């Protein structure tokens, strides 16, 4: 296993200047994209949404969100990196998630055991200075099917801290590159191989 996400700290393709705090969605999108593409992952999809109409406690709020999807040729069959970015009146936020398709539930074994393995991989490879949520998803395409036929996927996430966004585009680029290094370590780990759909 890895040693706590000591990924790249930048590279020739990324700016050395820290720059100003990122205040709107588009510069954050650009910074994440540049950081991901500098380490070999390519954008395969981008979606933006805007919401204005809220009632109750959210009345008067507005939200702009972006979803970015990245792929790498080595892992195109069963893995992607999905990025969610959010702009609200409280500022910018977001996370990067390695999404890996897994074997059907019948082949996965006990979900608790699988989740323990994935948690250990997350701790070993992802940056220890950042929040790293973990999600194991089970999905039945039809509720009449046997539960053991459920499709499964795991999401290893790295949250983008507000301090990184305040530090500017270069800091976001470095975080994206560091997260990718951790994600690639997870993808190459033998502990994950037996659970992967393409394994």
């Amino acid at each position: 296993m890895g040693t706590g996400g000591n990924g790249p700290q930048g590279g020739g393709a990324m700016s050395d200047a820290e720059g100003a705090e990122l205040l709107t969605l588009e510069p954050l999108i650009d910074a994440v994209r540049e950081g991901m593409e500098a380490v070999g992952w390519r954008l395969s999809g981008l979606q933006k949404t805007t919401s204005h109409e809220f009632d109750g406690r959210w009345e008067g709020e507005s939200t702009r969100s972006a979803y970015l999807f990245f792929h790498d040729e080595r892992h195109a069959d069963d893995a992607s990196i999905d990025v969610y970015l959010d702009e609200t009146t409280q500022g910018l936020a977001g996370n990067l998630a390695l999404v890996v398709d897994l074997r059907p539930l019948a082949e996965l074994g006990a979900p608790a055991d699988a989740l323990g393995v994935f948690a250990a991989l997350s701790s070993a490879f992802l940056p220890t200075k950042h929040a790293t949520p973990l999600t194991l998803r089970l999905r039945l395409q039809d509720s009449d099917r046997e539960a053991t036929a459920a499709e499964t996927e795991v999401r290893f996430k790295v949250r983008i801290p507000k301090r990184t966004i305040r530090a500017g585009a270069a800091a976001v680029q470095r975080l994206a590159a560091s997260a990718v290094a951790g994600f690639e370590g997870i993808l190459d780990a033998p502990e994950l191989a037996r659970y992967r759909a393409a394994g």
Side-chain angles (χ1 to χ4, degrees), residues 5 9 16-17 32 35 37 62 70-71 90-91 98 111-112 129 140 153 166 168 180-181 186:
Q9 298 303 308
D16 291 328
V32 169
E37 292 184 341
S62 65
F70 294 87
H71 288 82
Q90 280 73 49
L98 171 65
K129 295 185 294 184
L140 275 177
E153 72 173 27
R166 287 194 296 269
V180 169
I186 290 171

Side-chain angles (χ1 to χ4, degrees), residues 59-77:
E59 186 174 357
E61 296 286 331
S62 65
T63 299
R64 300 174 65 226
S65 301
Y67 301 86
L68 294 82
F69 307 94
F70 294 87
H71 288 82
D72 172 80
E73 288 184 4
R74 290 193 308 136
H75 306 288
D77 291 339

Side-chain angles (χ1 to χ4, degrees), residues 71-152:
H71 288 82
D72 172 80
E73 288 184 4
R74 290 193 308 136
H75 306 288
D77 291 339
D78 68 337
S80 66
I81 296 177
D82 296 0
V83 179
Y84 173 72
L85 306 174
D86 198 31
E87 176 188 336
T88 70
T89 52
Q90 280 73 49
L92 295 170
N95 64 69
L96 303 90
L98 171 65
V99 183
V100 184
D101 294 331
L102 304 175
R103 297 178 182 276
L105 182 58
E107 302 175 22
L108 194 69
D113 293 342
L115 195 60
V117 171
F118 303 149
L121 288 170
S122 179
S123 296
F125 286 101
L126 296 184
T128 54
K129 295 185 294 184
H130 307 298
T132 53
L134 179 67
T135 304
L136 178 61
R137 291 186 175 180
L138 311 178
R139 178 177 55 247
L140 275 177
Q141 294 290 357
D142 190 317
S143 58
D144 290 334
R145 299 189 66 185
E146 291 290 332
T148 54
E151 299 173 353
T152 65

Side-chain angles (χ1 to χ4, degrees), residues 154-168:
V154 61
R155 289 178 173 257
F156 300 90
K157 294 184 181 181
V158 176
R159 288 194 180 137
I160 305 174
K162 292 190 181 298
R163 65 180 180 274
T164 300
I165 295 171
R166 287 194 296 269

Side-chain angles (χ1 to χ4, degrees), residues 10 28 35 51 53 78 116 150 153 166 169 174 183 186 189 195:
L28 181 57
S51 301
E53 297 184 11
D78 68 337
E153 72 173 27
R166 287 194 296 269
R174 286 195 297 272
F183 291 156
I186 290 171
Y195 293 103

